[in-house]
């Protein structure tokens, strides 16, 4: 197996392009001079013109190709390259709008929203985005993002990966300039970004521009697909799990409107797995969980985007999204039952305008509103029937002075070895969250001249949260009880009591930001720099309280240097270095703050990260690109919480949880990652990415399970190594094979070892009143219940004295996905169809040992070996098929 994988990688690295090469020449239409540095975009890749205004691009030799050409101060051009053409000339103008059957001029940002910039960001767009995202049961651009360098492995159903050691929930998403704090379906399993609504996606995980903030880990910039201003477009996709529809209409040649929708139906898949469950049970133990699905997972959404150019200098855009998702389960076996329902709705509408008062200036404005509603209701019950063990019954417990009691547990408690007892634990919870937000931002860019570009802007973000939580757990917290509850044993005994967490919060936050940026590039593009400063401030209010914060300054600096160009097989070598500060505040922490949290003005602090990065990018003539970056990030003022319990009744059987907030957490994150990419070609393309990361966190006032202040630790999501191989092989223009292979080293698991084993009794409250004890409040002691309907169960528990708590790593993970596609298109290139068969998690049936370390069973007192568990997200491969047609 390893030999085949290595062979595939070597083939990928060594194969050269045999596609048709087209020489593109770009010059000023009025002055007839070549435009050195003009950017040509094709199939998600960027190419820079040389001093003669020329660049060579490889395109399929039997199909039409569309390129986009941009240059600062000029209008961008989209032009069709007919089949069998080996040279194309593109003219750029400073003003006006020209249209014909094959040429469209549109104003756009110089980078086209599609630039990969060493030390700042990595982008994926066009065919590369669609090939990696349009696969499987749910098509999602996060499937592509998770294959990029610097992104930690998170599994199939987790769209919140760790970015270079950062906390998974701190990845901020921006769609066309609008912040979307929680853009997920199924509680973070999938993102809302369908590949059909996205033109490009840029992951900024370095020292990115001060234009954006509200994150310390990374920024996901999503650019929506622009409708055609000339042609009507239609895309239809029907698969085994979803139906997609996208329509685009032109508006008098000055803009267009795009509408899309998606409807998922997992019912056939769930039904099929339930049908096969009896045959698969011997191979996959977890298959029974599929039988518990009461409401098949579903997603329903619709999105629209539009733009209209009123004049050559003024354009209006609008975007919107509305979607919902849900799932329901009802799992039951002889010992447990779990009922759970989830409903989620999210939506937003934004509008923006871009105005060019002069050819060297552009002013942008954007405003929008959004909402997010979540509701989860669940009940979890477990019933355990056991017997008192002879070793427990015959044990003479230790007394406070270190001597042994004259009575053993059996005599003290009135129990015998082999006697049956039953206990239950239960959790009931109800969660409702409602969020409303509105945003305004204005941006100004000015090309001063002589290589200088000045930018500044202001942003206002208002959030309103309403959260209701009602949760009770039996049993949960152990506490000492009165010594006389056990006659003849006047020392330590414990009771297990329910804990309840019930809260309602209604909070508001007003974020305000200012930024200023100065960019400079020398005339020969040998040296460049970007200096920016961002200022963020928060005012936080709620029922009966108001908290002001100290404004935070986030300066950022990047320096780029071109080492050389055109030497042998190397087209260009670029170096970069950057340093900067970033800040963010966690919505999960803030939404539950209330007047009893004990926070006052300036106590609330945003989390900060001091990021430093160096990188290098090498472009080869054979259309290969190699990018490598090393980084160190220091996190400080991180927020974290602890839970404190208080007794709230005379019987001391009820507790209430109180959240304590702290803002002194720290983190060290460092590592490196690289990406070797083969740009789009006739036969084979794709990339290899590798990431190495070390992340150590510290929450100074957090208490560990032994009662000590917590020391530095690896977070649960941390993995040292992540490798991704993405291949797209096209033996003919009508058939392709796409493959994704990933390798991820093990995640963390806590375990304990060593120490002397001792036992103790616990009076655990039974939610279903099937215990063998009751509590006599007058006598203040527990008394035997012979009918089996007592409120409490006497449970035998074991613990290890002087045990050591350690962390071990699970086994590695190697998910493999395959997609086979058959294409058909007419000679005019107006219609195209695709049939595909996809298999995700090909090796799902394989098992890997989690760890060789043992775990201690508190109910039996036995050291148990590490268990064998599946290394993948689902216990069976996910097979999907479908048909797509576009016009």
């Amino acid at each position: 197996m390893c030999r085949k994988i290595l062979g595939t990688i070597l083939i990928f690295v060594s194969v050269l392009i045999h596609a048709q090469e087209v020489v593109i020449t770009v010059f000023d239409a009025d002055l007839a001079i070549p435009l050195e540095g003009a950017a040509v975009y094709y199939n998600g890749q960027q190419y820079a013109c040389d001093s003669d205004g020329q660049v060579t691009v490889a395109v399929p030799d039997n199909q039409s190709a569309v390129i986009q050409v941009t240059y600062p101060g000029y209008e961008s051009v989209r032009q069709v390259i007919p089949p069998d053409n080996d040279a194309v000339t593109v003219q750029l103008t400073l003003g006006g709008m020209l249209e014909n059957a094959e040429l469209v001029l549109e104003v756009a940002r110089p980078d086209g929203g599609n630039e990969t910039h060493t030390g700042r960001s990595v982008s994926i767009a066009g065919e590369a985005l669609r090939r990696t995202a349009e696969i499987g049961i749910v098509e999602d651009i996060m499937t592509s993002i998770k294959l990029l360098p610097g992104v930690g492995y998170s599994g199939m159903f987790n769209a919140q990966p760790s970015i270079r050691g950062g906390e998974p929930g701190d990845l901020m998403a921006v769609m066309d300039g609008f912040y979307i704090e929680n853009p997920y379906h199924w509680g973070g399993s999938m993102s809302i970004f369908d590949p059909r609504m996205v033109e490009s996606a840029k992951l900024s995980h370095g020292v990115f521009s001060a234009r954006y903030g509200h994150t310390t880990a990374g920024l996901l910039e999503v650019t929506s697909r622009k409708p055609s201003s000339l042609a009507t477009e239609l895309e239809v996709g029907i698969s085994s799990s979803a139906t997609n529809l996208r329509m685009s209409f032109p508006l008098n040649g000055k803009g267009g409107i795009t509408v899309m929708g998606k409807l998922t139906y997992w019912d056939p898949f769930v039904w099929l797995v339930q049908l096969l469950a009896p045959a698969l049970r011997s191979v996959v133990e977890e298959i029974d969980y599929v039988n518990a699905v009461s409401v098949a997972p579903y997603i329903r959404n619709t999105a629209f985007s539009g733009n209209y150019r009123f004049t050559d200098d003024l354009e209006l855009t609008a975007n919107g999204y509305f979607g919902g998702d849900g799932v329901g389960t009802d799992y039951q076996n002889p010992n447990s039952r779990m009922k759970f329902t989830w409903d989620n709705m999210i939506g937003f509408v934004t509008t923006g305008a871009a105005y060019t008062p002069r050819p060297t200036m552009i002013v942008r404005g954007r405003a929008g509103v959004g909402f997010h509603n979540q509701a989860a209701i669940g009940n979890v019950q477990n019933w355990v029937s056991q017997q008192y063990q002879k070793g427990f019954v015959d044990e003479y417990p230790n007394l406070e002075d270190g001597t042994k009691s004259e009575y053993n547990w059996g005599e003290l408690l009135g129990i015998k070895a082999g006697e049956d007892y039953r206990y239950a634990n239960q959790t009931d919870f109800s969660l409702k969250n409602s969020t409303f937000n509105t945003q305004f931002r204005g941006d100004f860019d000015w090309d001063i001249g002589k290589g200088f570009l000045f930018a500044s802007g202001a942003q206002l973000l208002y959030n309103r949260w309403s959260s209701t939580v009602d949760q009770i757990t039996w049993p949960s917290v152990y506490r000492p009880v009165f010594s006389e509850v056990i006659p003849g044993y006047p020392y330590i005994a414990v009771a297990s009591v329910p804990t309840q967490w019930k809260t309602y919060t209604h909070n508001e936050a007003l974020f305000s930001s200012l930024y200023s940026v100065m960019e400079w590039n020398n005339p020969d593009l040998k040296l460049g720099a970007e200096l920016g400063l961002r200022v963020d401030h928060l005012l936080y209010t709620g029922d009966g309280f108001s908290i002001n914060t100290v404004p935070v300054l986030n300066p950022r600096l990047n320096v780029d240097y071109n080492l050389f160009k055109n030497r042998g097989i190397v087209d260009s070598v670029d170096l970069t270095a950057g340093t900067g500060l970033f800040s963010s505040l966690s919505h999960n922490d803030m939404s539950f703050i209330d007047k009893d949290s004990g926070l006052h003005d300036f106590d609330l602090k945003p989390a900060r990260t001091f990021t430093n990065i160096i990188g290098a990018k090498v472009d080869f003539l054979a259309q290969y690109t190699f990018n490598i970056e090393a980084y160190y990030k220091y996190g400080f003022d991180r927020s974290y919480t602890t839970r404190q319990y208080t007794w709230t009744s005379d019987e001391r059987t009820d507790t209430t949880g109180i959240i304590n907030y702290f803002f002194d957490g720290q983190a060290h994150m460092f590592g490196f990652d690289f990406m070797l990419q083969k740009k789009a070609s006739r036969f084979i393309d794709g990339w290899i990415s590798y990431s190495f990361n070390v992340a150590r966190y510290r929450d100074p006032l957090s208490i560990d399970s032994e009662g000590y202040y917590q020391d530095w630790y690896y977070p649960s999501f941390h993995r040292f190594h992540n490798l991704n191989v993405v291949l797209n092989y096209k033996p003919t223009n009508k058939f392709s094979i796409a493959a994704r292979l990933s390798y991820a080293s093990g995640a963390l698991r806590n375990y304990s070892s060593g120490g002397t084993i001792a036992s103790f009794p616990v009076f655990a409250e039974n939610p279903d009143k099937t215990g063998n004890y009751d509590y006599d409040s007058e006598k203040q002691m527990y008394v035997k219940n012979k009918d089996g309907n007592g409120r409490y169960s006497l449970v035998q528990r074991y613990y290890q004295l002087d045990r050591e708590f350690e962390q071990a790593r699970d086994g590695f993970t190697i998910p493999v996905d395959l997609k086979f596609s058959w294409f058909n298109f007419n000679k005019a290139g107006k219609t195209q169809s695709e049939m595909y068969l996809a298999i995700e998690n090909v090796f799902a049936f394989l098992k890997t040992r989690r760890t060789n370390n043992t775990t201690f069973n508190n109910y039996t007192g036995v050291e148990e070996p590490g268990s064998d568990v599946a290394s993948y997200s689902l216990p069976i491969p996910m097979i999907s098929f479908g048909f797509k047609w576009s016009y």
Side-chain angles (χ1 to χ4, degrees):
M1 181 64 186
C2 293
R3 185 179 300 175
K4 292 182 179 179
I5 294 174
L6 290 174
T8 304
I9 294 175
L10 290 175
I11 292 173
F12 166 75
V13 174
S14 59
V15 171
L16 295 178
I17 290 188
H18 299 290
Q20 172 188 354
E21 293 187 340
V22 178
V23 178
I24 300 172
T25 303
V26 183
F27 63 91
D28 185 295
D30 299 319
L31 303 177
I33 58 175
L35 296 177
E36 180 182 4
V40 178
Y41 298 93
Y42 171 67
N43 206 18
Q45 306 298 326
Q46 177 188 359
Y47 306 86
C49 294
D50 57 20
S51 57
D52 296 324
Q54 293 185 338
V55 66
T56 301
V57 177
V59 301
D61 53 7
N62 58 352
Q63 300 181 34
S64 299
V66 179
I67 62 172
Q68 182 176 4
V69 183
T70 65
Y71 193 75
Y74 288 76
E75 293 182 338
S76 66
V77 170
R78 294 177 62 197
Q79 184 163 329
V80 176
I81 302 177
D84 302 324
N85 272 32
D86 57 4
V88 172
T89 299
V90 180
Q91 304 179 48
L92 299 185
T93 60
L94 291 175
M97 182 172 180
L98 173 65
E99 299 178 7
N100 58 35
E102 292 188 345
L103 187 63
V104 182
L105 299 182
E106 300 171 334
V107 171
R109 288 187 57 181
D111 62 6
N114 189 30
E115 179 185 10
T116 297
H117 205 157
T118 303
R120 297 168 178 77
S121 60
V122 57
S123 291
I124 183 169
E127 287 301 316
L129 176 64
R130 285 184 278 276
R131 281 197 305 265
T132 52
E134 293 181 1
I135 178 174
I137 296 286
V138 177
E139 298 177 351
D140 180 11
I141 70 163
M142 285 305 299
T143 305
S144 303
I145 297 299
K146 290 189 288 187
L147 300 171
L148 298 177
V151 181
Y153 176 78
S154 60
M156 180 186 299
F157 290 102
N158 187 350
Q160 296 177 287
S162 170
I163 308 298
R164 286 181 169 171
E167 296 188 55
D170 197 41
L171 176 64
M172 175 62 76
V174 176
M175 186 169 188
D176 296 330
F178 185 83
Y179 288 100
I180 310 173
E181 189 170 7
N182 196 13
Y184 302 109
H185 289 302
W186 297 338
S189 299
M190 301 288 172
S191 84
I192 66 172
F193 301 120
D194 188 285
R196 288 171 181 80
M197 62 186 280
V198 174
E199 183 68 31
S200 66
K202 178 190 295 185
L203 176 64
S204 299
H205 50 21
V207 182
F208 54 87
S209 173
R211 291 177 172 89
Y212 290 103
H214 302 300
T215 178
T216 58
L219 180 75
L220 179 62
E221 294 183 66
V222 178
T223 303
S224 61
R225 290 182 67 176
K226 242 185 174 182
S228 172
S229 60
L230 296 176
T232 298
E233 299 175 341
L234 176 64
E235 294 182 21
V236 179
I238 302 175
S239 71
S240 53
S241 59
T243 295
N244 298 271
L245 175 66
R246 177 181 176 271
M247 297 179 291
S248 177
F249 308 97
L251 296 175
N252 300 324
K254 295 185 177 182
I257 297 176
T258 294
V259 180
M260 67 148 291
K262 177 169 69 176
L263 174 70
T264 64
Y265 36 83
W266 273 39
D267 304 77
F269 173 77
V270 172
W271 174 81
L272 179 62
V273 175
Q274 290 175 341
L275 185 67
L276 298 175
L280 296 174
R281 187 173 291 113
S282 60
V283 181
V284 184
E285 297 177 0
E286 299 89 345
I287 199 69
D288 285 334
Y289 289 107
V290 180
N291 291 321
V293 176
S294 58
V295 178
Y298 68 87
I299 296 176
R300 315 280 191 264
N301 62 30
T302 183
F304 72 89
S305 65
N307 71 297
Y308 191 82
R309 182 176 297 280
F310 293 92
T311 68
D312 296 341
D313 301 321
L314 179 61
E315 182 182 21
L316 182 68
T317 61
N319 303 84
Y321 175 90
F322 299 94
D325 60 88
V327 64
T329 62
D330 188 353
Y331 174 78
Q332 185 171 1
N333 63 27
N335 298 318
S336 64
R337 182 174 185 178
M338 180 183 70
K339 296 180 68 176
F340 174 78
T341 59
W342 165 270
D343 293 289
N344 178 65
M345 292 187 66
I346 184 173
F348 59 87
V349 176
T350 74
T351 182
Y355 175 61
T356 308
R358 297 173 56 184
T360 58
M361 294 181 181
I362 184 168
V363 180
R364 301 182 186 87
R366 180 163 292 275
V369 296
F371 72 91
H372 188 196
N373 298 325
Q374 295 176 334
I377 301 175
N379 170 264
V380 180
Q381 296 175 308
N382 292 285
W383 304 280
V384 180
S385 297
Q386 288 189 341
Q387 294 179 338
Y388 295 117
Q389 299 183 11
K390 181 176 176 54
F392 169 72
V393 172
D394 294 341
E395 180 181 347
Y396 290 84
N398 293 317
L399 301 181
E400 193 174 28
D401 59 4
T403 62
K404 290 287 186 178
S405 169
E406 59 179 309
Y407 304 101
N408 60 31
W409 284 125
E411 295 168 329
L412 289 170
L413 302 169
I415 59 176
K416 297 180 181 179
E419 181 182 338
D420 294 327
Y421 72 94
R422 185 176 186 271
Y423 70 94
N425 57 63
Q426 178 175 321
T427 297
D428 296 319
F429 62 90
S430 173
L431 168 68
K432 294 182 180 180
N433 288 330
S434 178
T435 302
F436 170 80
N437 74 86
T438 182
Q439 303 175 33
F440 303 91
R441 67 177 296 156
D443 303 273
F444 171 70
D445 288 23
W446 180 21
D447 187 352
I448 302 174
K450 297 184 178 180
F452 286 94
L453 174 68
F454 173 76
S456 64
Q459 302 167 11
L460 202 63
L461 171 59
Y462 168 79
N463 278 345
R464 185 181 68 221
W465 300 288
S466 296
S467 300
T468 302
V469 177
D470 190 355
Q471 176 177 314
I472 185 168
T473 301
W474 300 267
S476 179
V477 176
Y478 296 121
R479 64 170 175 84
V481 299
F482 294 121
S483 58
E484 60 265 27
V485 297
I486 303 178
Y489 182 63
Y491 297 105
I492 299 174
V494 295
S496 181
V497 297
T499 59
Q500 185 171 13
W501 183 29
K502 189 172 184 179
T503 180
Y504 171 76
T505 55
H506 180 86
N507 299 336
E508 299 176 342
L510 180 63
F511 297 89
S512 53
S513 305
L514 297 172
Y515 77 85
S516 183
V517 175
M518 179 65 76
E519 299 178 16
W520 174 78
N521 287 281
N522 68 344
D524 60 358
L525 301 179
K526 189 76 173 178
L527 181 65
E530 178 182 345
L531 177 64
L533 175 64
R534 182 180 181 88
V535 182
D536 292 307
H537 176 259
L538 167 66
L539 176 62
Y540 196 75
T541 62
D543 293 335
F545 73 95
S546 177
I547 303 174
N548 202 355
T549 63
V550 177
V552 292
L553 304 181
N554 293 316
R556 300 169 195 176
L557 172 66
N558 284 285
V559 178
D560 303 301
Y561 179 71
N562 177 258
L563 193 61
F564 60 80
K565 293 182 179 180
N566 303 321
R567 292 190 183 180
I569 63 171
V570 177
D571 183 51
S572 178
V573 175
D574 296 288
L575 307 177
T576 188
T579 183
L581 284 169
F582 299 83
S583 63
S584 71
L585 273 168
S586 170
H587 160 73
N588 293 328
D589 288 343
M590 291 194 303
S591 60
F592 294 110
I593 292 176
D594 57 29
K595 63 181 180 180
D596 297 324
S597 299
L599 297 177
H600 304 92
D601 283 345
F602 313 121
D603 288 342
L604 185 63
K605 297 179 182 179
R608 309 292 302 280
T609 297
F610 178 42
T611 301
N612 304 272
I613 192 166
I614 57 173
K617 181 181 179 182
V618 183
D619 291 322
F620 297 93
L621 295 179
Q623 300 299 311
Y624 285 95
T625 296
F626 179 75
N627 189 85
I628 185 169
E629 299 176 10
Y631 58 90
Y632 167 74
K633 302 193 294 183
Y634 172 64
F636 58 99
D637 292 345
R638 289 180 48 255
S639 63
Y640 60 96
T641 61
T642 61
R643 188 75 61 82
Q644 177 182 344
Y645 297 96
T646 59
W647 315 115
T648 59
S649 73
D650 292 338
E651 290 189 5
R652 301 188 179 187
T653 56
D654 298 316
T655 61
T656 300
I658 298 176
I659 301 177
N660 297 314
Y661 294 86
F662 302 97
F663 302 93
D664 58 355
Q666 298 171 282
H668 292 290
M669 298 157 282
F670 61 90
F672 71 92
D673 44 65
F674 67 78
M675 182 176 184
L676 175 62
Q677 185 177 17
K678 181 68 169 66
K679 297 180 180 180
S681 70
R682 170 62 183 84
F683 291 105
I684 190 168
D685 51 63
W687 68 82
I688 298 174
S689 67
Y690 169 77
S691 305
F692 172 78
N693 173 260
V694 176
R696 299 278 284 175
Y697 282 46
R698 181 171 179 261
D699 305 329
L701 296 179
S702 180
I703 306 297
D704 64 19
S705 56
E706 289 291 278
Y708 298 103
Y709 287 114
Q710 201 170 58
D711 201 356
W712 290 94
Y713 65 93
Y714 289 105
S716 60
F717 52 81
H718 174 259
R719 297 174 187 265
F720 283 110
H721 308 280
N722 288 275
L723 174 69
N724 299 293
V725 180
V726 179
L727 293 174
N728 185 47
Y729 176 56
K730 299 166 284 187
T732 71
N733 60 358
K734 293 189 176 183
F735 177 71
S736 71
I737 302 174
R740 305 184 310 206
L741 179 149
S742 297
Y743 166 87
S745 60
L748 283 170
R749 185 174 70 91
N750 295 320
Y751 74 99
S752 61
S753 62
T756 303
I757 298 177
S759 58
F760 65 98
V762 173
F763 291 97
E765 182 174 356
N766 257 310
D768 60 353
K769 305 298 187 295
T770 57
N772 55 358
Y773 273 82
D774 281 311
Y775 183 76
D776 191 325
S777 57
E778 294 183 0
K779 297 180 181 180
Q780 291 190 338
M781 66 173 57
Y782 293 90
V783 294
K784 202 75 178 289
N785 182 306
K786 298 181 180 180
D787 298 328
N789 58 358
R791 184 176 179 180
Y792 300 91
S793 292
L794 176 62
V795 181
Q796 61 184 38
R797 292 296 301 270
Y798 293 84
Y799 64 96
Q800 292 173 299
L801 296 172
D802 304 320
R803 58 180 171 169
E804 296 181 359
F805 286 88
E806 301 181 39
Q807 290 183 320
R809 296 278 172 175
D810 289 344
F812 59 82
T813 301
I814 308 182
V816 176
D817 305 326
L818 297 173
K819 181 181 179 182
F820 305 91
S821 300
W822 292 264
F823 301 95
N824 189 25
F825 48 88
N826 64 358
K827 294 182 179 180
K830 289 188 175 182
T831 63
Q832 178 175 310
S833 62
E834 174 190 358
M835 291 189 298
Y836 71 88
L837 171 66
I839 308 174
E840 296 177 280
N841 233 6
V842 174
F843 300 138
F845 289 120
L846 296 182
K847 304 275 186 174
T848 180
R849 178 161 291 278
R850 194 171 210 180
T851 174
N852 292 325
N853 297 295
T854 59
T855 58
F856 181 74
N857 189 319
N858 294 102
Y859 291 96
T860 63
V862 177
E863 293 274 357
E864 298 178 346
S867 59
D868 289 339
V869 296
S871 297
Y872 310 102
S873 300
L874 281 178
I876 60 173
M878 303 284 283
I879 301 175
S880 59
F881 53 88
F883 174 79
K884 301 176 184 179
W885 180 85
S886 62
Y887 171 79

